Amino acid sequence: MGKSGKSPEKSSGKSAGKEWLGLDAKSFATDLDRHLNLTLGKDPVEGSHLYLYNAAALTIRDRLVERWRATRDKYATEKPKRVAYLSLEFLMGRTLTNAVLNLDMDEALRKALKDYGVTLEELAQEERDAGLGNGGLGRLAACFLDSCATLELPVTGYGIRYDYGMFHQKIKDGYQIELPDQWLKEGNPWEFEAPENIRRIKFHGHTETHADADGNLRVQWVDTDDVLAVPYDMPIPGYRNNTVNTLRLWKASATDEFKLDQFNQGSYTEAVAAKNEAEQISMVLYPNDVSENGKVLRLRQQYFLSSASLQDVIIRWRQRNGDTFEGFADKNCFQLNDTHPAIAVAELMRLLMDDYGMGWDEAWEITRSTMAYTNHTLLPEALERWPVRLFRDMLPRLLEIIYEINARFLRQVSSHWPHDEGKLRELSIIEEGGEPQVRMAYLAIVGSHSVNGVAALHTELLKSGLFKTFYELWPEKFNNKTNGVTPRRWLGFCNPQLASLINKTIGEGWLTDLDQLQQLKPLADDKAFQKKWMAVKKHNKTLLAEMVECACGVSFDTDMMFDVQVKRIHEYKRQLLNILHVIHLYDRIMRGDTEGMVPRCVLIGGKAAPGYFMAKLIIKLINSVAEVVNAEPLADKLLKVAFLPNYRVTAMEMICAGTDLSEQISTAGKEASGTGNMKFMMNGALTIGTLDGANIEIRDAVGEEDFFLFGLKADEVEQVRKSYDPDSIIESDSDLKSVMHLLESGHFNLCEPGIFNPIINTIRDPHDQWVTAADFRSFTDAQVAVGEVYQQKALWTRKSILNTASSGMFSSDRTIGQYADEIWRLKR
Ligand code: 26Q
């Protein structure tokens, strides 16, 4: 297998002895016409954009399929070690435009579309986002798949084909409303059902033990309610390398057995209802980005994904290798995207022992050496736990195996720390107490050979905090893999003007070797280059302003600074701190204290978990403040505020290109990494941020001069919290005091008195976990510094260029290279 970046000759390829379809405009035109007329059966005249979109998708898809089959053949011949990336979430966004970029079909397709009088941009709008994820973790999985295909690594993504992805967010009277995301309503041209690979998943029932012919004890899990897992495959193209990997998503389907039993007994309706229950498993994505404990359906989803995917890998192994598992661990690796698929540890043990007759020790050796676990959170309340009771009912055989794993593990703990009851209680996979719980993170750590965090600080905090004792026991398991994002989507595609300027300046190599952006550094002070750089930013700001106008009815002036915070709404991410600063600016304007104030447009966007009261109230506050500020004539040229509804992958593509200032302001020690921060940096935004997650590495990469730092550090936050007194902080800071006065006087909620009291109370609460008041002064001062720099156009532009130029290490190609070398040990 070659390295990334090699650009094989276009269209030079064969599958099954046949030349590949042409990549020229004429071939595209012919195929567009054929798909429109024959595959879809529509006339160009009656064909709305949707039909033309589908014809284009099929035209591109044909080319993908050729390369897909060739890649499959190549893996089948070369038999490389393979990785299964197990994730409950893949936040893919749109596919058409990404495929067009990766297969270098942009120009030809545009030409072919000319005849229809439609632009590629207009067509692309017809595609709904595949929003099968909540936020960072799901989008990371999508970026990783892009990098794996680009690096030509045999990695398959395994997930769930939810009928409904992340909810559609509407804002009504300032409040979030959730609407179902019917992303499959118009069909999905990018998926291929593979009924020949259906797998059967067991639930409920009980276990029976008997001795086999050799006298070995064997366990059978019987009387189960089974559900079928039907795979749908999506092609994942690499960047211009003819590699196409697979994302396999499972849909739940009822077995047909009810027809025989219940149907004959006359209980037709009950039989159909049972079918419903099975198919619920893949119905909807859970819209929480922090674990919601105890939901039965969620555990069903987790087991469904884990079992189907492991069976898939094992059955394919046996098709190629016969009935031996020798070499299995050298040829397979399972990466667990957080603890969501951690039940895979016990499931692999079950499959190897119960279905294939392997003894415990051999099965454990295979399990431990193939499983690897990535942690994505530092919030202790976000660690997944499941009641033992739930396991006993739903997955009785898995509970037995977990108990056995735990018993053997605790023996190891006692020999490491003899006579230490406390250590046993602390490390046990089963948390005792009122309602005994299974600690999924502990199961994942015990059952894996690798445990990684997603940014340097995050990994250090895991080792010294959450997983300290595990680190003492197994220091060699722990490692860091700082996140990254794919530069194809997050610069090449989303910012065509900047990409083209960069191409003209340093060539196109950066798309697969992002460190090459360093070559822009000498140009940071070049007047002519700066001018072009600014013109691109201006253009992108115009597009973003159009979007904001259209979605929010707020007009953003492109001469003003675009100050943006988009991410899930969560208290630790402190959208509240941002809005306090906005109130402060408004307060200054109203007091006439506007000297040196740089005109700003503040954009905030993100979804709140439907059951997260405070997050939803913060959205309401943002909208209430926006309404007052935008209606204030005195603020007109100085401050605009908008809340962008339904933030998603496709929105970010436009947002990150048009942003001047990136807000990364989480309470230090709480954001595992962040990845939006990287997208903004790549597109030349400057960051205002705390020393949290990957912000630290971003600042190290660009240099402290070109990053606006503020706030308490992670260890200082812990210190401050011991004697935190927000009231006295507020009392001694006249700006904050004035902001609190505006809030408390009901200035932003005249018609709805008292609604923001819960927010006011949190800010004043000595137990406020996120210490918002503590960082207000330093945030506001840093914002003044931002304003001073922004007013010096050349200086700002220099810093903007240096940010892009220093963003090389935040390519997911770098991250995936490290996973491949250090965890998966793939040859490359
Ligand atoms: C768990 C159980 C039940 C229901 C939902 C969940 C659940 C779902 C999604 C828990 C967490 C998530 C998502 C977490 C997430 O997105 N974390 C982010 O991961 C990014 C990629 O590593 C980091 O950059 C972010 O810092 C981190 O917050």
Side-chain angles (χ1 to χ4, degrees):
M1 268 157 282
K3 279 201 87 72
S4 78
K6 75 169 187 211
S7 210
E9 271 174 57
K10 271 208 217 172
S11 89
S12 63
K14 276 190 228 180
S15 295
K18 284 216 299 251
E19 284 296 329
W20 284 352
L21 298 168
L23 295 180
D24 54 297
K26 195 157 163 272
S27 310
F28 280 17
T30 312
D31 286 3
L32 267 177
D33 183 73
R34 182 170 54 83
H35 281 304
L36 195 57
N37 286 293
L38 298 177
T39 316
L40 304 168
K42 304 287 168 188
D43 281 332
V45 222
E46 72 169 289
S48 71
H49 282 183
L50 180 63
Y51 291 125
L52 194 58
Y53 160 74
N54 273 304
L58 293 170
T59 302
I60 304 301
R61 191 181 89 166
D62 292 340
R63 275 106 185 134
L64 277 172
V65 168
E66 293 173 320
R67 288 156 182 79
W68 204 1
R69 298 179 63 181
T71 304
R72 253 181 261 166
D73 291 347
K74 183 175 114 174
Y75 293 156
T77 335
E78 294 180 2
K79 298 186 171 52
K81 182 174 187 180
R82 305 184 68 143
V83 177
Y85 194 85
L86 305 188
S87 178
L88 271 280
E89 308 194 0
F90 287 91
L91 198 40
M92 304 301 289
R94 287 183 178 150
T95 295
L96 176 74
T97 38
N98 184 250
V100 167
L101 173 71
N102 279 14
L103 266 59
D104 196 10
M105 302 182 297
D106 189 278
E107 230 185 276
L109 181 60
R110 280 176 197 279
K111 270 193 202 148
L113 285 174
K114 276 224 172 86
D115 288 348
Y116 297 89
V118 187
T119 65
L120 180 52
E121 284 70 23
E122 284 166 331
L123 261 204
Q125 303 294 333
E126 294 294 322
E127 182 176 354
R128 293 169 191 254
D129 275 32
L132 308 184
N134 274 284
L137 166 151
R139 182 55 229 177
L140 185 75
C143 284
F144 279 5
L145 293 184
D146 183 88
S147 285
C148 289
T150 297
L151 294 171
E152 302 181 358
L153 302 174
V155 178
T156 302
Y158 280 101
I160 294 179
R161 181 183 178 275
Y162 300 106
D163 295 311
Y164 299 91
M166 189 60 200
F167 65 80
H168 182 98
Q169 178 194 54
K170 268 182 68 169
I171 301 298
K172 188 159 182 277
D173 304 326
Y175 291 100
Q176 166 176 300
I177 308 283
E178 301 94 23
L179 297 172
D181 161 48
Q182 305 188 28
W183 74 293
L184 293 167
K185 206 162 88 186
E186 267 103 34
N188 176 8
W190 304 109
E191 64 181 12
F192 292 77
E193 189 179 346
E196 69 280 15
N197 291 317
I198 288 176
R199 312 292 173 212
R200 178 178 278 262
I201 316 299
K202 298 183 184 197
F203 290 99
H204 306 296
H206 62 270
T207 62
E208 286 173 357
T209 308
H210 62 95
D212 67 11
D214 305 325
N216 298 314
L217 281 189
R218 299 286 303 269
V219 179
Q220 275 188 307
W221 182 9
V222 296
D223 279 343
T224 50
D225 298 335
D226 296 357
V227 175
L228 300 180
V230 184
Y232 287 74
D233 292 342
M234 296 180 61
I236 307 292
Y239 185 74
R240 299 183 186 179
N241 60 4
N242 291 336
T243 293
V244 178
N245 283 343
T246 302
L247 169 59
R248 173 158 279 194
L249 300 177
W250 300 101
K251 177 185 167 69
S253 166
T255 60
D256 285 340
E257 284 136 26
F258 73 94
K259 283 181 190 158
L260 299 171
D261 309 351
Q262 287 165 302
F263 194 70
N264 289 341
Q265 292 162 30
S267 46
Y268 171 77
T269 34
E270 286 77 4
V272 176
K275 189 172 157 75
N276 240 319
E277 199 189 324
E279 296 181 354
Q280 260 185 35
I281 292 178
S282 57
M283 191 79 78
V284 61
L285 165 80
Y286 272 88
N288 319 294
D289 63 345
V290 168
S291 85
E292 181 175 293
N293 273 321
K295 287 282 190 299
V296 181
L297 182 59
R298 172 72 179 186
L299 183 59
R300 264 187 223 282
Q301 291 182 336
Q302 297 184 346
Y303 181 65
F304 173 78
L305 166 70
S306 304
S307 181
S309 311
L310 291 177
Q311 289 187 49
D312 204 59
V313 170
I314 291 177
I315 288 169
R316 289 212 315 221
W317 168 266
R318 292 177 72 84
Q319 282 165 355
R320 302 206 163 86
N321 299 275
D323 53 6
T324 174
F325 280 95
E326 216 183 290
F328 181 84
D330 299 325
K331 290 286 190 182
N332 288 285
C333 191
F334 303 101
Q335 190 70 39
L336 308 177
N337 200 17
D338 216 302
T339 53
H340 313 159
I343 187 65
V345 167
E347 175 65 2
L348 183 54
M349 290 298 290
R350 185 189 74 81
L351 290 168
L352 293 176
M353 295 190 304
D354 299 358
D355 288 6
Y356 298 103
M358 198 178 278
W360 182 280
D361 292 332
E362 200 189 338
W364 184 245
E365 180 53 33
I366 288 181
T367 300
R368 226 197 31 79
S369 56
T370 53
M371 294 280 165
Y373 156 55
T374 305
N375 172 285
H376 297 266
T377 185
L378 282 157
L379 308 180
E381 67 268 28
L383 288 186
E384 273 194 288
R385 290 176 170 78
W386 292 103
V388 164
R389 170 182 49 81
L390 219 161
F391 258 93
R392 187 172 293 121
D393 173 58
M394 190 193 303
L395 305 168
R397 177 60 181 138
L398 286 117
L399 183 63
E400 289 176 1
I401 292 171
I402 291 171
Y403 275 146
E404 184 63 25
I405 293 173
N406 196 38
R408 290 170 185 247
F409 164 59
L410 291 181
R411 260 175 256 152
Q412 225 181 315
V413 173
S414 339
S415 74
H416 199 273
W417 288 284
H419 319 294
D420 191 340
E421 281 275 332
K423 281 279 184 295
L424 295 179
R425 210 167 320 115
E426 181 195 335
L427 293 183
S428 175
I429 296 172
I430 308 296
E431 180 179 291
E432 300 294 350
E435 160 100 81
Q437 312 257 342
V438 183
R439 295 162 160 162
M440 299 309 277
Y442 292 12
L443 177 62
I445 297 173
V446 173
S448 298
H449 68 283
S450 163
V451 178
N452 76 280
V454 290
L457 174 72
H458 173 227
T459 302
E460 288 313 307
L461 292 174
L462 287 180
K463 294 195 289 192
S464 63
L466 224 44
F467 300 150
K468 181 169 189 284
T469 316
F470 283 103
Y471 178 62
E472 286 167 18
L473 188 59
W474 294 313
E476 68 286 352
K477 278 196 195 186
F478 287 77
N479 64 94
N480 177 247
K481 296 287 167 282
T482 298
N483 283 166
V485 302
T486 169
R488 271 75 64 188
R489 184 179 293 258
W490 297 113
L491 184 51
F493 167 70
C494 74
N495 200 340
Q497 292 219 353
L498 197 63
S500 148
L501 174 59
I502 296 171
N503 287 344
K504 283 179 199 138
T505 313
I506 62 169
E508 293 184 21
W510 58 273
L511 276 151
T512 48
D513 178 12
L514 203 63
D515 285 324
Q516 291 187 21
L517 292 177
Q518 298 268 6
Q519 296 167 33
L520 296 171
K521 283 188 179 169
L523 293 159
D525 288 311
D526 180 308
K527 288 290 162 253
F529 189 72
Q530 284 195 343
K531 208 172 148 201
K532 292 181 200 158
W533 193 268
M534 283 190 285
V536 170
K537 183 58 86 179
K538 181 96 177 168
H539 167 81
N540 292 328
K541 286 173 76 171
T542 308
L543 298 179
L544 177 52
E546 278 168 18
M547 179 170 108
V548 170
E549 174 80 59
C550 178
C552 321
V554 179
S555 58
F556 275 13
D557 176 347
T558 56
D559 287 332
M560 294 163 72
M561 178 201 297
F562 282 16
D563 169 342
V564 180
Q565 185 178 25
V566 284
K567 48 183 79 237
R568 286 302 288 259
I569 311 290
H570 204 295
E571 285 163 285
Y572 83 79
K573 296 180 189 279
R574 294 199 298 195
Q575 282 89 359
L576 184 53
L577 181 59
N578 192 358
I579 206 71
L580 291 183
H581 174 248
V582 170
I583 298 174
H584 166 65
L585 292 178
Y586 167 78
D587 183 39
R588 278 182 57 189
I589 292 168
M590 298 317 282
R591 293 195 316 244
D593 171 24
T594 57
E595 210 191 282
M597 186 183 283
V598 62
R600 286 187 197 236
C601 299
V602 178
L603 182 65
I604 304 178
K607 292 173 183 175
Y612 189 170
F613 171 78
M614 279 302 265
K616 292 179 112 171
L617 194 57
I618 289 167
I619 293 179
K620 171 67 176 171
L621 176 62
I622 296 166
N623 282 306
S624 300
V625 170
E627 203 176 328
V628 171
V629 170
N630 297 337
E632 172 53 56
L634 289 176
D636 190 40
K637 294 270 169 313
L638 284 172
L639 185 60
K640 285 276 183 263
V641 188
F643 184 88
L644 181 83
N646 204 34
Y647 173 63
R648 61 200 186 282
V649 171
T650 297
M652 183 56 159
E653 289 166 2
M654 185 151 286
I655 294 167
C656 66
T659 293
D660 293 309
L661 183 67
S662 154
E663 299 269 352
Q664 307 300 335
I665 62 178
S666 52
T667 309
K670 302 297 175 191
E671 187 71 271
S673 162
T675 43
N677 47 3
M678 302 168 184
K679 296 164 197 167
F680 283 118
M681 181 197 199
M682 264 178 210
N683 286 278
L686 274 63
T687 305
I688 181 165
T690 47
L691 282 181
D692 201 16
N695 294 353
I696 298 175
E697 288 150 271
I698 286 178
R699 178 167 169 268
D700 288 345
V702 68
E704 56 186 58
E705 289 281 283
D706 301 315
F707 182 105
F708 299 100
L709 179 67
F710 78 96
L712 298 168
K713 299 185 186 63
D715 54 337
E716 293 168 347
V717 168
E718 295 313 311
Q719 283 309 310
V720 161
R721 278 171 54 180
K722 290 179 185 158
S723 56
Y724 185 48
D725 183 4
D727 280 344
S728 77
I729 295 173
I730 293 165
E731 199 47 43
S732 63
D733 183 325
S734 62
D735 287 339
L736 182 54
K737 194 172 166 182
S738 190
V739 166
M740 291 305 289
H741 178 74
L742 279 170
L743 264 179
E744 288 167 339
S745 68
H747 188 77
F748 303 105
N749 50 313
L750 291 173
C751 302
E752 295 163 282
I755 56 166
F756 296 127
N757 288 352
I759 289 180
I760 294 163
N761 294 340
T762 328
I763 301 170
R764 291 191 175 277
D765 183 356
H767 298 108
D768 173 20
Q769 281 198 71
W770 323 113
V771 294
T772 304
D775 275 346
F776 176 84
R777 184 73 267 149
S778 131
F779 182 52
T780 303
D781 291 346
Q783 289 285 19
V784 171
V786 169
E788 280 163 8
V789 177
Y790 193 75
Q791 272 154 343
Q792 305 167 59
K793 280 281 152 268
L795 183 59
W796 184 275
T797 307
R798 169 192 150 81
K799 289 176 189 289
S800 169
I801 296 167
L802 290 176
N803 266 272
T804 300
S806 311
S807 66
M809 76 159 287
F810 302 105
S811 166
S812 46
D813 298 345
R814 186 269 311 150
T815 313
I816 284 300
Q818 292 175 332
Y819 275 87
D821 294 343
E822 297 162 21
I823 301 179
W824 305 335
R825 304 198 178 274
L826 301 181
K827 286 206 189 75
R828 54 179 202 115

